[in-house]
Amino acid sequence: MDKLIGRDISKEYPGGITALKSVNIEIHKGDIVVVMGPSGSGKTTLINILGLLDTPTAGNVYLDDREITGLSEKEKCVIMNRTFGFIFQFFYLIPELTAIENVMLPLWIKERSYRKVRDYYRRAEELLVEFNLSKRKDAYPSQLSGGEMQKVAICRSLICSPEIIFADEPTGSIDKESSEMFFNFVQLLNKKKGIGFFIGTHNEKFLQFATKVVYLNQGEIE
Ligand SMILES: Nc1ncnc2c1ncn2[C@@H]1O[C@H](COP(=O)(O)OP(=O)(O)O)[C@@H](O)[C@H]1O
Ligand SMILES: [Mg+2]
């Protein structure tokens, strides 16, 4: 991808709650965009709409020159699986799967080749090694610390080589040390692999290396 654009994005939830009001945003390849704003300002809603997890009430999202909000679920899933990566505040690891199985899952969904399962396993293991977590590969999420769960979530977001990673409050529920690690990985992945980031956060430390900062207030960009 070269750019991801949100044009006049509005979102109203049932009950007349306006979460976003005509938001315009442009993200270029390799950008680290940080979205700040008080709780309830619309950060999560914006991430979910740009990441195709939710649909806007009005407005469009363009990936390069292609409008993508109106695509079929199947076409959206292909983009979410191959071009986007996701890291959620509470990680959303699958509790019934081990750490390494969680990391393999997007690759399995992408290719579904029984012949290549060993290869998926090896690639997931390589990522876990990079994140110093290979010893815990057979642990279930309930047996991992918050910082470890986050590392598994990072590995899972990376396994299909995304071009942009959406992260919603990625340091919202981990300690200071794990947060520092996360800052380093964002910068490293950005520099080495050119991966872009779209991060919703309260953490002002992200501002140090953001290439673009967006302040949301009551659903509007300030
Ligand atoms: N599923 C939903 N149904 C109704 N209102 C929602 C829903 N999700 C979020 N909201 C409301 O939309 C506004 C923006 O929420 P959100 O995007 O989660 O903000 P933030 O991530 O900045 O805290 C808030 O007023 C919130 O209460
Ligand atoms: Mg939020």
Side-chain angles (χ1 to χ4, degrees):
M1 68 168 247
D2 281 323
K3 56 190 177 192
L4 182 68
I5 296 175
R7 198 156 284 157
D8 296 322
I9 301 286
S10 297
K11 178 71 182 183
E12 276 190 36
Y13 287 112
I17 297 159
T18 304
L20 294 174
K21 288 176 213 161
S22 229
V23 167
N24 284 289
I25 188 156
E26 195 164 324
I27 303 147
H28 291 258
K29 189 182 170 70
D31 265 349
I32 300 176
V33 181
V34 172
V35 184
M36 309 271 302
S39 188
S41 57
K43 302 183 294 297
T44 296
T45 304
L46 184 58
I47 290 171
N48 289 349
I49 288 173
L50 293 174
L52 297 177
L53 293 161
D54 199 357
T55 49
T57 331
N60 298 293
V61 179
Y62 298 87
L63 180 62
D64 298 326
D65 291 321
R66 185 180 184 206
E67 206 285 312
I68 56 173
T69 36
L71 296 177
S72 70
E73 285 303 309
K74 200 170 172 186
E75 289 170 308
K76 286 188 195 176
C77 286
V78 170
I79 294 173
M80 288 193 275
N81 181 240
R82 299 181 187 191
T83 310
F84 297 166
F86 296 91
I87 300 168
F88 301 100
Q89 179 175 7
F90 301 107
F91 318 122
Y92 295 142
L93 299 177
I94 310 243
E96 292 85 358
L97 300 181
T98 62
I100 195 161
E101 288 165 350
N102 266 282
V103 176
M104 287 165 67
L105 190 60
L107 195 52
W108 166 252
I109 289 169
K110 182 178 173 189
E111 299 187 0
R112 286 191 225 217
S113 162
Y114 285 101
R115 270 188 306 117
K116 288 168 78 178
V117 168
R118 261 170 217 271
D119 182 43
Y120 303 157
Y121 188 94
R122 194 182 45 73
R123 281 161 68 184
E125 196 168 30
E126 277 169 13
L127 280 169
L128 289 168
V129 166
E130 260 183 66
F131 285 78
N132 231 331
L133 207 65
S134 56
K135 274 201 231 114
R136 304 293 283 136
K137 70 175 194 282
D138 296 322
Y140 288 90
S142 63
Q143 299 168 320
L144 298 172
S145 71
E148 288 171 337
M149 282 194 264
Q150 184 179 52
K151 287 183 186 175
V152 174
I154 297 171
C155 293
R156 181 180 60 180
S157 79
L158 289 170
I159 194 134
C160 289
S161 309
E163 298 189 65
I164 178 166
I165 293 180
F166 295 91
D168 193 1
E169 308 270 9
T171 59
S173 55
I174 52 173
D175 59 28
K176 222 175 141 196
E177 218 172 279
S178 304
S179 300
E180 292 290 335
M181 181 216 77
F182 189 75
F183 301 142
N184 291 336
F185 278 117
V186 169
Q187 290 171 85
L188 193 79
L189 291 168
N190 182 255
K191 215 179 238 163
K192 269 196 160 171
K193 300 188 179 171
I195 299 177
F197 285 85
F198 192 84
I199 302 167
T201 185
H202 285 107
N203 195 330
E204 302 203 336
K205 293 233 166 115
F206 281 105
L207 299 180
Q208 292 167 20
F209 52 87
T211 58
K212 188 179 244 175
V213 183
V214 172
Y215 288 93
L216 269 182
N217 190 13
Q218 296 186 16
E220 289 182 281
I221 291 186
E222 288 198 328

